[in-house]
Amino acid sequence: ELKEVLDVVLLPTDHFHLKSVIQQPDDHSFAGWGKHMMKFFVAGAKSRVGHVLAHPFVPMGEHNDKPREVLDTISDAEFFDALSIANEYGNAIEINSGCLIEPIYYESLIRPFTIAKKAGCKFTVGSDTHRLETLDRYDIIAHFCDECGITEDDFSDIMIR
């Protein structure tokens, strides 16, 4: 219903730092967080609530400073299956400069975003402007897209609404 009245609805699936309102995993290991994050990503993709899944695969919360360790517990096949579901349900995937400005996130997100392209996902650009220096960082997004093989044709038409 929200999607019908709003131009764009971004749905975050990894805001685990909001502990009082977001379910936390039973297993707090890197692998436990990886499974939990994927469960939330797939649930968000299937929910039909949003147009765009906001900054996916950023383990906000307990392992915020260890994204590679969390994402390394997720296989390419698991990423492909989850991203194929996102594509099937018509979700675009946000490429977020606010995340990419941080080298630990930039490096850890190359693999899942490369897989997202292979899964047929479309992309949008966002900044999550918690800081002014991330507002206009299209240079970082362009470089990231080049590394992941994402081209202009891979962007969602939602970008031009």
Side-chain angles (χ1 to χ4, degrees):
E1 191 172 301
L2 275 177
K3 287 172 66 172
E4 294 172 15
V5 296
L6 298 174
D7 289 333
V8 178
V9 177
L10 273 78
L11 179 65
T13 62
D14 52 13
H15 279 197
F16 303 114
H17 60 296
L18 303 172
K19 293 179 181 180
S20 64
V21 294
I22 303 296
Q23 179 185 9
Q24 301 295 298
D26 294 328
D27 176 358
H28 290 266
S29 69
F30 295 135
W33 274 101
K35 285 183 176 125
H36 193 66
M37 187 171 24
M38 293 303 281
K39 177 177 122 181
F40 270 67
F41 178 84
V42 170
K46 288 181 173 181
S47 73
R48 299 190 190 274
V49 170
H51 297 97
V52 181
L53 299 176
H55 53 67
F57 313 121
V58 175
M60 300 172 112
E62 187 174 339
H63 295 304
N64 196 41
D65 60 340
K66 305 244 187 251
R68 179 169 307 276
E69 289 84 344
V70 173
L71 297 183
D72 280 352
T73 69
I74 303 166
S75 72
D76 288 359
E78 290 171 306
F79 274 126
F80 187 85
D81 290 347
L83 288 156
S84 294
I85 290 168
N87 181 37
E88 175 187 341
Y89 280 78
N91 298 280
I93 305 297
E94 181 196 35
I95 301 170
N96 185 291
S97 64
C99 297
L100 297 180
I101 199 167
E102 302 293 338
I104 61 170
Y105 289 115
Y106 185 103
E107 294 164 12
S108 66
L109 291 172
I110 291 171
R111 182 170 66 99
F113 276 77
T114 300
I115 295 168
K117 176 178 167 83
K118 291 177 184 171
C121 292
K122 294 294 185 182
F123 300 91
T124 64
V125 171
S127 65
D128 214 358
T129 56
H130 295 271
R131 298 177 302 182
L132 284 177
E133 66 266 21
T134 65
L135 181 59
D136 192 17
R137 291 305 308 267
Y138 294 108
D139 58 323
I140 226 166
I141 291 170
H143 189 262
F144 182 79
C145 288
D146 286 345
E147 286 200 55
C148 297
I150 297 168
T151 67
E152 189 175 327
D153 292 337
D154 297 314
F155 282 89
S156 170
D157 63 359
I158 207 165
M159 294 285 296
I160 55 173
R161 284 187 182 181

